[in-house]
Amino acid sequence: MLRKLFHKKIDKPVENKDIKGKITGIYSEDLQFFQNTYKDCFDIVFHCFETIEQRKAVIIYIQGLSDPEELNENVIKPLLTTEGASGERFSMIPVSQMKTLKTYEECIQSISAGLPVLIMDGDESALSVGLAKSEKRSIEEPVGESVIRGPREGFTEVLAVNTSLLRRKIHSPKLKMLQMSIGKYSQTSVVLVYIEDLAATQLIEEAKQRLEGIDIDGILESSYIEEFIEDTPRSPFPQLLSTERPDTVVANLLEGRIAILVDGTPFSIIAPATLFSFIQSSEDYYQRYIISTMIRWIRYPFFLVSLLLPSFYIALTTFHQEMIPTDLIISMASAREFVPFPTFIEAFLMEITFEALREAGLRLPKQIGSAVSIVGALVIGESAVQAGIVSPAMVIVVSITGIASFMIPRYAFGFSLRILRFPMMILAGTLGILGIMLGICGIVIHLCKLRSFGVPYLSTLAPAHADQFKDSLVRAPFWKFNTRPRLTGKYNQYRQSSNQKPKPPTNE
């Protein structure tokens, strides 16, 4: 009895097999098809009426996604007051964007996009009217990528707005945008963006092939696509660059890369990406090159600090005390006299606590999130030291590590370092400096094997090209950027004329 109860056969929903069929031109049959398709959909509006020529017609649209006032004024009113043949519908309706649809599937896609569909008796085609209307967020500065100097506009959740932001910056018709729909039910619009003659043909075809190979129920965010198209999905390092900034997308397009925009999210995807793509900031190109170079030189060492500082502290205090100066080791030993835990457990507890405080600060409301994280860190750190649970030196090490991790411009890459920090601490606590060296070798070998759409992850370092260091280890002045990156811009190598270094006027 129980088996029959729990193994009761569930009838599958019957799919409409005629969805790819053509519009018949018989009003009753076409209307019945759409009424069956949109059964139990209260927000689908069927506005039936008769034209001035006594022809039956229906307009189908989604409530909230189309503009009913414009629909009444520019579509229904002309059909009720103006005589004309069926072939003259375009001239009768004063709407700039209209499209003829031949199949039911095209009509459903148009309705889902917020474009009303007009069906008239005797016509074997429908008319899609460009009167979509939806609430959208205004263009604002990206919170996670704010800059002191530079553009302060960011992508929104509306795909048309995002593509227009790119068109405003690149006026050339060489900027190409290929649109496709992904998701069986969501049918999310995805746009592949590239500049013709700059992006490699193989890169474009590979991107199209990977996108077309995605078979999923729905796409809600660009991260869905990112996990489907990256080269090594089990790697902790991100292989595609995500950004909300149109200027960052345009800068990468001009270097021969591609971008992927997804409807419903402000985050775009850029490919291929390298290690230096995640350590560099868009603001590096808006400051003077001397300042940007100095900031990069500060950022690179702290990139290593965020990964290795707790591990080195554990290794030195546990296995290699002879490497610490005598006065310092005496001070550290006296501070740790009443600490009941070994250094490894102490560091592990502090790191987990710091990560919990950081996550809590992100999830709490903005008004109190930062205050809770800062006050919580101060109170917990001070209380832990006074209680003898941790030493003051460990609080300093964890604080410096946290500050260093905040210097990584890209959140996804910084999170990868936070994940790897814990296995590095385990290696340091078991094997000392030798364990750290083994961990570093394993990370470097993994990075050397990584590819992003076929481009080496350590590009400009491995393989090494001395002329490419001008935009990796340093930020050279713009009059030195005569060529594009070798592995992404080799099909159109030169980006500007040479010998553009400014010179003072000559005295005559």
Side-chain angles (χ1 to χ4, degrees), residues 118-393:
L118 171 64
I119 299 175
M120 297 181 65
D121 189 19
D123 284 356
E124 295 183 356
S125 63
L127 190 64
S128 173
V129 186
L131 293 177
K133 177 187 177 181
S134 61
E135 298 297 328
K136 57 185 179 181
R137 181 170 59 92
S138 60
I139 298 175
E140 301 172 350
E141 181 180 7
V143 178
E145 299 178 70
S146 59
V147 296
I148 298 175
R149 178 177 179 179
R152 299 188 182 276
E153 58 185 9
F155 288 132
T156 69
E157 287 75 15
V158 181
L159 183 61
V161 175
N162 298 341
T163 55
S164 66
L165 290 174
L166 296 181
R167 289 289 183 186
R168 285 172 54 185
K169 294 183 179 295
I170 300 181
H171 297 171
S172 172
K174 295 287 186 179
L175 178 64
K176 305 299 180 181
M177 298 183 180
L178 302 180
Q179 186 176 13
M180 60 189 74
S181 295
I182 301 178
K184 180 179 179 182
Y185 295 105
S186 67
Q187 296 183 0
T188 306
S189 296
V190 178
V191 175
L192 175 63
V193 187
Y194 64 92
I195 297 180
E196 192 177 24
D197 298 336
L198 292 187
T201 305
Q202 296 89 336
L203 175 61
I204 300 170
E205 293 300 325
E206 179 67 20
K208 290 171 58 178
Q209 181 180 354
R210 295 188 187 187
L211 291 173
E212 292 172 353
I214 298 175
D215 184 10
I216 190 174
D217 286 346
I219 298 292
L220 303 181
E221 218 276 333
S222 58
S223 60
Y224 285 46
I225 293 179
E226 184 175 348
E227 294 190 16
F228 275 106
I229 65 176
E230 59 186 358
D231 292 46
T232 310
R234 297 188 184 276
S235 173
F237 293 97
Q239 297 138 59
L240 300 172
L241 183 63
S242 177
T243 181
E244 294 182 76
R245 299 186 60 89
D247 57 319
T248 301
V249 173
V250 170
N252 283 273
L253 292 175
L254 292 173
E255 290 185 348
R257 295 182 174 89
I258 62 170
I260 299 173
L261 306 180
V262 181
D263 190 23
T265 175
F267 289 92
S268 60
I269 300 174
I270 298 173
T274 63
L275 175 68
F276 291 102
S277 302
F278 297 97
I279 306 179
Q280 297 171 357
S281 171
S282 59
E283 196 174 8
D284 292 350
Y285 301 94
Y286 303 140
Q287 302 285 354
R288 288 180 56 82
Y289 69 93
I290 297 176
I291 299 174
S292 299
T293 300
M294 184 193 69
I295 292 175
R296 287 188 180 182
W297 287 354
I298 296 175
R299 194 181 294 147
Y300 293 154
F302 275 88
F303 153 69
L304 298 176
V305 167
S306 66
L307 176 64
L308 301 174
L309 182 59
S311 305
F312 271 108
Y313 179 79
I314 294 172
L316 292 178
T317 55
T318 306
F319 296 98
H320 311 283
Q321 296 89 347
E322 70 279 358
M323 298 179 64
I324 305 175
T326 304
D327 294 339
L328 181 58
I329 191 65
I330 293 174
S331 175
M332 293 172 61
S334 62
R336 283 187 47 82
E337 184 177 359
F338 300 103
V339 176
F341 303 111
T343 307
F344 170 71
I345 300 299
E346 183 186 1
F348 215 85
L349 290 175
M350 285 299 295
E351 283 292 339
I352 291 178
T353 303
F354 187 86
E355 293 298 331
L357 285 172
R358 173 152 50 181
E359 191 68 16
L362 291 175
R363 305 306 168 199
L364 288 172
K366 294 181 180 179
Q367 292 80 0
I368 62 174
S370 59
V372 168
S373 59
I374 295 173
V375 174
L378 292 174
V379 172
I380 291 176
E382 182 67 21
S383 302
V385 171
Q386 291 181 358
I389 299 175
V390 297
S391 63

Side-chain angles (χ1 to χ4, degrees), residues 468-496:
Q468 301 295 300
F469 291 158
K470 61 189 177 184
D471 194 22
S472 55
L473 300 181
V474 299
R475 206 283 271 174
F478 283 113
W479 40 265
K480 294 287 290 183
F481 288 133
N482 299 330
T483 58
R484 293 183 174 85
R486 283 178 176 267
L487 296 179
T488 58
K490 60 183 179 180
Y491 294 96
N492 191 342
Q493 185 177 0
Y494 295 97
R495 70 166 84 191
Q496 64 186 27

Side-chain angles (χ1 to χ4, degrees), residues 401-418:
T401 304
I403 293 173
S405 65
F406 287 129
M407 294 187 66
I408 306 300
R410 305 296 174 183
Y411 179 80
F413 190 79
F415 208 100
S416 301
L417 299 180
R418 290 158 60 184

Side-chain angles (χ1 to χ4, degrees), residues 51 53 55 79 82-93 98 100 102 118 120-127:
T51 67
E53 300 172 333
R55 296 178 60 192
L79 292 175
T82 307
E83 296 185 1
S86 61
E88 297 178 350
R89 287 177 298 168
F90 281 97
S91 59
M92 294 168 58
I93 300 174
M98 292 188 291
T100 302
K102 296 292 187 180
L118 171 64
M120 297 181 65
D121 189 19
D123 284 356
E124 295 183 356
S125 63
L127 190 64

